[in-house]
């Protein structure tokens, strides 16, 4: 796999901006073997200078990182910087209960898209208040396009308004990656969202 330098990354970003491409559009046009790798050898350098205990899974902390490493918190992680889970501190937020998780997993497409869209909008408001601006507009655009593509027959809400509002509020307290993870049952859309998140991480950690 090719290893890109920061200078090469900067050139790619400038090219993208000049052509008006989003991260997902660029990744779709890039041959698989030449796709920009998100490896800790280069992209995690800035993070490890601030947090010596940072791991590969912590890239994008706290909004885009992997789940916390249960072994690191006990001083037992043997993978160090190569660990695929996050070694940085996480805030404990309310989680969906079993009934709510089952409800989300069984939601029709329109209900699920509406839920994730609403949760991301609320999350964006929370981040803005903290002066931590993350580029999630493209994620919302992708969701809106998916909703608009549904037929009138399919665009009918079957989940109760009360349940949808409650779960949306709870879900918005998760990280952006945590919210998007609920789309895993829609693999094509989930892949597009993950590509956008990868692009966001690329921009953030190169300082561009």
């Amino acid at each position: 796999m090719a290893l890109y330098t920061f200078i090469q990354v900067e050139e790619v970003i400038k090219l993208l901006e000049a052509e008006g491409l989003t991260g997902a559009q660029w990744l779709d046009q890039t041959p698989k073997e030449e796709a920009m790798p998100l490896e800790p050898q280069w992209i995690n350098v800035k993070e490890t200078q601030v947090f010596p205990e940072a791991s590969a899974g912590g890239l994008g902390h706290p909004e885009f990182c992997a789940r916390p490493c249960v072994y690191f918190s006990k001083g037992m992680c043997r993978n160090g910087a190569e660990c695929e889970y996050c070694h940085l501190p996480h805030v404990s937020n309310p989680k969906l209960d079993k009934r709510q998780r089952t409800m989300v997993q069984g939601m029709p497409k329109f209900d699920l898209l509406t839920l994730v869209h609403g949760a991301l909008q609320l999350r964006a408001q929370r981040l803005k208040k903290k002066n931590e601006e993350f580029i999630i507009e493209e994620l919302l655009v992708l969701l809106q396009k998916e909703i608009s593509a549904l037929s009138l027959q399919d665009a009918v809400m079957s989940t109760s308004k009360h349940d949808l509002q409650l779960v949306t509020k709870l879900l918005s307290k998760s990280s952006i990656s945590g919210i998007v993870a609920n789309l895993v049952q829609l693999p094509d859309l989930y892949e597009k969202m993950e590509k956008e998140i990868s692009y966001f991480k690329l921009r953030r950690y190169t300082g561009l």
Side-chain angles (χ1 to χ4, degrees), residues 63-64 119-125 127 133-142 176 193 197 200:
E63 292 299 320
F64 304 119
L120 282 175
Q121 285 185 315
L122 287 178
R123 189 64 186 168
Q125 293 174 11
L127 293 174
E133 295 184 6
F134 292 87
I135 308 172
I136 63 172
E137 287 84 359
E138 189 65 25
L139 299 179
L140 294 173
V141 169
L142 287 172
I176 293 174
M193 301 283 275
I197 288 176
F200 298 157

Side-chain angles (χ1 to χ4, degrees), residues 51-174:
F51 301 104
E53 71 274 23
S55 60
L59 181 64
H61 180 84
E63 292 299 320
F64 304 119
C65 62
R67 291 177 295 172
C69 176
V70 296
Y71 295 105
F72 179 78
S73 62
K74 300 176 182 178
M76 300 169 58
C77 182
R78 299 180 179 179
N79 296 320
E82 296 181 357
C83 182
E84 296 181 358
Y85 296 94
C86 187
H87 286 183
L88 300 176
H90 282 250
V91 177
S92 180
N93 291 312
K95 294 179 172 57
L96 303 183
D97 60 29
K98 184 177 181 180
R99 184 189 71 84
Q100 292 166 336
R101 291 196 302 271
T102 300
M103 179 179 67
V104 171
Q105 292 169 359
M107 274 185 176
K109 185 175 183 179
F110 178 70
D111 297 36
L112 182 60
L113 292 174
T114 302
L115 169 67
V116 174
H117 191 280
L120 282 175
Q121 285 185 315
L122 287 178
R123 189 64 186 168
Q125 293 174 11
R126 292 174 185 274
L127 293 174
K128 189 174 183 180
K129 290 180 180 178
K130 295 180 181 179
N131 296 319
E132 297 176 358
E133 295 184 6
F134 292 87
I135 308 172
I136 63 172
E137 287 84 359
E138 189 65 25
L139 299 179
L140 294 173
V141 169
L142 287 172
L143 284 167
Q144 189 57 53
K145 287 181 178 179
E146 199 76 15
I147 293 173
S148 300
L150 295 174
S151 65
L152 292 176
Q153 183 178 356
D154 292 330
V156 177
M157 185 68 65
S158 60
T159 306
S160 73
K161 183 178 180 180
H162 175 269
D163 282 341
L164 188 66
Q165 289 178 338
L166 178 60
V167 174
T168 299
K169 186 176 181 179
L170 283 173
L171 200 58
S172 70
K173 296 179 181 180
S174 301

